[in-house]
Amino acid sequence: MSLHNHRQETQSPGLEQELNAEATFPGQYARTGQFTLGVPRHFRIAPDGTRIAFLRTRSGSDRAGCLWVRDAESGAERVVADPVQLLGGGADRPPPAESAHRERTRESAAGITSFAADSAVRTAVFALSGRIFTADLASGRVREAPAAPGAVGPHLDPGGSRIAYAAGGALRVTSVRGTDEPLAEPEGPDVAWGSAEFVAAEEMGRTRGFWWSPDGQSLLAARVDTRQVAKWYLSDSAAPHRPPTRIAYPAAGTANAEVTLWRITLDGVRRRIHWDEAALPYLSAVHWSPHGPALLQVHSRDQRTLRVLSVAEDGATTVEAEETDPDWVAVVPGAPAWTTDGRLVRVAARRGAYRLLFDDRAVTPDGLQVRALLDVSDDVLFTASDDDPTQIHLHVCGPEGAVRRLTPHPGVHHAARSGSVLVTIARAPHRPGSVAEVRTEGRPTAVLADTAEVPVLLPDPRLLVVGARNLRCALLLPTGHRPESGPLPVLLDPYGGPAAQRVLAARDTYLFSQWFAEQGFAVLVADGRGTPGRGPVWDRSIRFDEARMNVEDQVDALHATAERFPGLLDLERVAIRGWSHGGYLALLAVLRRPDVFHAAVAGAPVTDRRLYNTFYTERYLGHPDDRPDVYAANSPLTEAASLRRPLMLIHGLSDDNVVAAHTLRLSGALLAAGRPHTVLPLSAATHRTPHAMIEGVMRSQSHFLKQALAHRPKESITHVPQ
């Protein structure tokens, strides 16, 4: 099938409708929280299968997340907790300033953004504007629990009678009818109990800082001491009356938070958990179930050693497993865990794949890359990719190690499970959005209602495998484009680096890219070396040389796609845009390969790798004191004087992940070198663009790129290898 015919079969009906869709899409994209509002999520399933609790907003444009319950017998879905009713219209209030950087949920919705439940899923608990509420999931009765101001992260004990939460640096315990008391209080302003430190929440996927014992009589609690961590001050110049926000930011090569773990009984008796924190300072996971002692997963600072430790009653630890790697040992969500019969389940790199291990025995086959563990009981439910990394499927591994795939259709899948009930969340290449299906004992029994709006602009990506490295790409064209119309200017739209994947077999992944295609571009999204899904060898190929390889892969993807479709791409009008790592990559591309890239938009780019956090940066580049040359070679700041093409920099002035200093320092270096450029500062914006600004930011980028590529470049630049 030709590219033209493929698009003719799937294009929208009618030119007028297409033009209207292009005009209204940015507003809809912002209003709907990028089409996440109205989508059911965050499922908790009762072990007896009688109910499913989940979050969903009332409509596709309502930002107030509500707590819902689906009754298995009747099939009815009902709202249990509505934040607007509970707060009297204050559901959009932000979380307390002291905890905002620790929560790091990056949610599009307001209201109830997460909840926890007891082991029977009879009672749920959630925080709302610094207050704690419990909900009886059977009767629907909601009560406010006594709590200190600024409460975050509440969790019920397994029996559902007590609630632990963090507030003001303390770990506290309360109940609906009882008194609220501190269980552990900080010794000063730079010590906190029961919260995740910055790198744990931002990079390890550990957002919690305490865990209930299976019997509900004690907790494991993290004590986080940031006294040695550098303090940074973020302020919004558009609001000079507001004091700056002080954050403890562990930049590469500097001190991390000191994290220790303690077992605390309900009467306040503390016992420290002992391991070699000096050699293994990172705590990435804690697992505490009735099927074995508590498990800890700890890492060396260089991340080349990982140990799984079991915890004894007296606080001593025993090594259950150890992994070493000359580059790094990966953190896999959901691992480690115990099966119901007491076997250790984890994921490790073995023979070119991330494999599921029962104790030390690898049970998944060659070519299957395990992504995450979702549920561990008698068997293990997990996600994985095979030889097509754009698809993520659900698998189950039985007690004897037999692996079975549960999702037959193409797409990207996730799930929640308890007992015989499974909720699958499927995103597909042929439809927008996702479908949450309930399966009972393997049979589909219901589909949860989804009130998300349907995008007025539907992406039509063509998924490609190109080049010598079989790079995965998606190509998007303006709706109705015909070959006789002539070649199109090209816009590369990558993330393009480790820890995130852009090219997926899910149509809704490409909404933003399709809108740029409707502006008259051929948009190419390419995943280069280091992106997830292709195994440990692929991941580690970027070690110490991330910048060069990331740029090289974008160039190769562009040229290979142009060869695949002769006359479609105008290689003399090529731009690149991206955000975060994508912004970093866009900046590198226009600085290093001006012979290929004629303009760039870099949103929230990392310009000095020494300014980004320890856990992420040191994994790929090592310690800056040991490898200063590597940091210089991977930091665009050192190359400012080489800019020859139009460049737009965009940055949120309150960004606490990639701080605005990255863009401001680069802009200063560009000015010192006499290199004109454009800076778009976003007042009161963090790493995520505020909804009110999304449409303006989208249109500003489009206007800049159209102007930059309006004429073929007059200056011919020859590439000089680095």
Side-chain angles (χ1 to χ4, degrees):
M1 181 186 293
S2 70
L3 178 64
H4 169 65
N5 288 338
H6 170 75
R7 293 194 60 81
Q8 284 294 100
E9 290 177 1
T10 57
Q11 67 179 354
S12 303
L15 179 61
E16 182 178 354
Q17 181 177 341
E18 293 161 9
L19 293 175
N20 289 338
E22 185 280 323
T24 59
F25 176 79
Q28 187 191 33
Y29 188 80
R31 185 182 70 253
T32 61
Q34 296 117 73
F35 300 97
T36 62
L37 303 179
V39 177
R41 60 188 182 84
H42 196 91
F43 304 95
R44 291 296 308 273
I45 305 165
D48 61 5
T50 56
R51 69 184 70 85
I52 300 171
F54 61 96
L55 299 180
R56 186 178 60 209
T57 62
R58 288 186 177 273
S59 73
S61 58
D62 181 354
R63 297 193 181 279
C66 298
L67 176 62
W68 297 70
V69 167
R70 182 186 186 276
D71 181 76
E73 184 175 352
S74 68
E77 296 177 12
R78 54 189 171 82
V79 175
V80 173
D82 183 330
V84 175
Q85 295 176 1
L86 293 174
L87 297 182
D92 286 320
R93 280 186 278 173
E98 65 176 12
S99 61
H101 76 280
R102 295 192 180 111
E103 288 299 279
R104 317 201 65 77
T105 57
R106 306 280 189 245
E107 297 285 356
S108 293
I112 305 170
T113 58
S114 65
F115 72 98
D118 62 345
S119 59
V121 192
R122 285 189 294 260
T123 305
V125 63
F126 54 90
L128 200 55
S129 292
R131 295 154 61 186
I132 291 179
F133 296 86
T134 62
D136 184 311
L137 298 176
S139 68
R141 184 175 183 180
V142 178
R143 297 181 177 183
E144 184 170 359
V152 294
H155 282 267
L156 284 156
D157 73 88
S161 61
R162 301 180 185 89
I163 305 160
Y165 69 98
L171 176 64
R172 306 180 69 92
V173 173
T174 186
S175 66
V176 173
R177 298 180 179 85
T179 58
D180 172 63
E181 297 179 339
L183 201 60
E185 294 186 282
E187 302 92 316
D190 294 316
V191 176
W193 285 88
S195 297
E197 74 278 17
F198 182 92
V199 293
E202 189 65 46
E203 305 295 351
M204 301 178 200
R206 177 173 67 79
T207 58
R208 294 179 61 179
F210 64 87
W211 299 264
W212 280 103
S213 63
D215 63 7
Q217 297 304 305
S218 63
L219 298 100
L220 285 177
R223 178 185 179 274
V224 177
D225 186 340
T226 60
R227 282 176 289 189
Q228 301 303 313
V229 181
K231 304 307 185 292
W232 289 4
Y233 298 85
L234 307 181
S235 61
D236 184 0
S237 297
H241 60 287
R242 293 178 183 164
T245 299
R246 178 179 180 266
I247 64 170
Y249 193 97
T254 68
N256 276 305
E258 178 186 290
V259 179
T260 54
L261 196 66
W262 300 70
R263 184 168 184 169
I264 310 177
T265 61
L266 291 178
D267 58 5
V269 176
R270 302 180 195 174
R271 178 173 290 143
R272 184 166 175 171
I273 309 302
H274 295 283
W275 78 92
D276 189 351
E277 294 102 336
L280 302 158
Y282 289 130
L283 173 67
S284 64
V286 175
H287 170 80
W288 206 356
S289 75
H291 311 303
L295 292 173
L296 316 181
Q297 184 169 270
V298 294
H299 308 247
S300 58
R301 174 149 180 172
D302 63 13
Q303 298 175 58
R304 295 177 181 178
T305 299
L306 174 151
R307 287 182 189 159
V308 177
L309 309 175
S310 60
V311 181
E313 287 288 333
D314 63 358
T317 56
T318 301
V319 178
E320 299 288 343
E322 178 173 293
E323 292 292 325
T324 60
D325 190 281
D327 295 313
W328 69 82
V329 182
V331 177
V332 177
W338 296 113
T339 61
T340 52
D341 60 359
R343 286 179 292 172
L344 178 64
V345 178
R346 56 196 183 94
V347 178
R350 295 284 191 276
R351 302 193 310 276
Y354 291 112
R355 297 176 186 267
L356 181 67
L357 273 63
F358 285 172
D359 294 323
D360 286 320
R361 179 171 67 98
V363 294
T364 45
D366 292 346
L368 192 67
Q369 306 293 344
V370 177
R371 300 283 197 119
L373 306 187
L374 305 181
D375 183 59
V376 178
S377 54
D378 296 332
D379 57 14
V380 180
L381 176 69
F382 64 96
T383 56
S385 298
D386 52 21
D387 58 352
D388 180 0
T390 70
Q391 299 193 42
I392 302 175
H393 286 281
L394 298 175
H395 298 73
V396 66
C397 182
E400 302 306 316
V403 176
R404 178 169 54 96
R405 195 171 106 175
L406 301 181
T407 45
H409 302 298
V412 175
H413 301 84
H414 194 67
R417 185 182 72 168
S418 182
S420 63
V421 178
L422 175 72
V423 177
T424 64
I425 303 95
R427 299 161 60 205
H430 60 276
R431 65 169 184 261
S434 61
V435 174
E437 181 182 71
V438 181
R439 302 184 188 184
T440 304
E441 297 181 346
R443 296 178 296 101
T445 54
V447 173
L448 295 175
D450 186 327
T451 59
E453 290 189 17
V454 176
V456 295
L457 191 67
L458 295 180
D460 187 15
R462 185 175 181 89
L463 300 184
L464 309 170
V465 181
V466 303
R469 287 181 291 279
N470 293 323
L471 300 171
R472 268 55 180 189
C473 305
L475 180 64
L476 301 102
L477 304 179
T479 304
H481 175 75
R482 297 179 178 275
E484 59 268 24
S485 302
L488 291 166
V490 187
L491 176 63
L492 276 76
D493 189 16
Y495 183 85
Q501 187 176 355
R502 285 275 282 118
V503 183
L504 292 165
R507 194 173 188 178
D508 59 352
T509 300
Y510 306 101
L511 286 164
F512 202 80
S513 298
Q514 184 66 53
W515 182 79
F516 275 103
E518 302 303 332
Q519 310 311 298
F521 298 101
V523 177
L524 183 66
V525 184
D527 280 346
R529 279 168 285 187
T531 50
R534 295 185 62 173
V537 175
W538 178 263
D539 291 349
R540 288 155 179 74
S541 63
I542 62 168
R543 178 75 161 165
F544 304 135
D545 201 10
E546 182 182 345
R548 181 183 66 83
M549 292 186 178
N550 287 170
V551 173
E552 186 175 271
D553 287 345
Q554 296 300 310
V555 173
D556 289 354
L558 171 66
H559 289 161
T561 304
E563 290 178 9
R564 178 82 62 91
F565 304 106
L568 179 62
L569 308 184
D570 185 347
L571 295 184
E572 294 189 25
R573 291 187 293 163
V574 178
I576 183 169
R577 68 160 300 278
W579 202 269
S580 196
H581 188 282
Y584 167 73
L585 180 48
L587 187 55
L588 286 166
V590 80
L591 288 171
R592 295 188 174 185
R593 296 301 305 269
D595 58 314
V596 175
F597 300 98
H598 309 112
V601 173
V606 174
T607 67
D608 184 347
R609 297 302 293 266
R610 286 178 176 265
L611 277 182
Y612 200 56
N613 73 64
T614 52
F615 193 81
Y616 180 97
T617 311
E618 293 173 12
R619 182 192 313 150
Y620 306 117
L621 304 185
H623 195 287
D625 293 349
D626 299 332
R627 299 180 181 272
D629 55 331
V630 169
Y631 276 72
N634 285 273
S635 295
L637 186 62
T638 63
E639 303 173 44
S642 65
L643 182 66
R644 297 291 186 277
R645 299 300 194 193
L647 169 65
M648 171 183 273
L649 300 168
I650 309 173
H651 219 120
L653 297 181
S654 298
D655 194 333
D656 61 351
N657 180 15
V658 182
V659 295
H662 286 276
T663 283
L664 297 176
R665 289 186 183 184
L666 177 65
S667 179
L670 291 169
L671 291 171
R675 304 301 180 194
H677 59 287
T678 299
V679 178
L680 181 61
L682 306 180
S683 176
T686 60
H687 200 57
R688 189 186 185 104
T689 304
H691 305 293
M693 297 182 183
I694 287 177
E695 181 170 0
V697 170
M698 290 175 68
R699 295 196 182 279
S700 294
Q701 292 179 69
S702 174
H703 179 73
F704 174 84
L705 292 168
K706 287 178 181 179
Q707 284 196 323
L709 299 183
H711 306 286
R712 295 179 186 274
K714 296 179 181 179
E715 180 185 4
S716 178
I717 299 176
T718 302
H719 171 55
V720 178
Q722 298 288 320

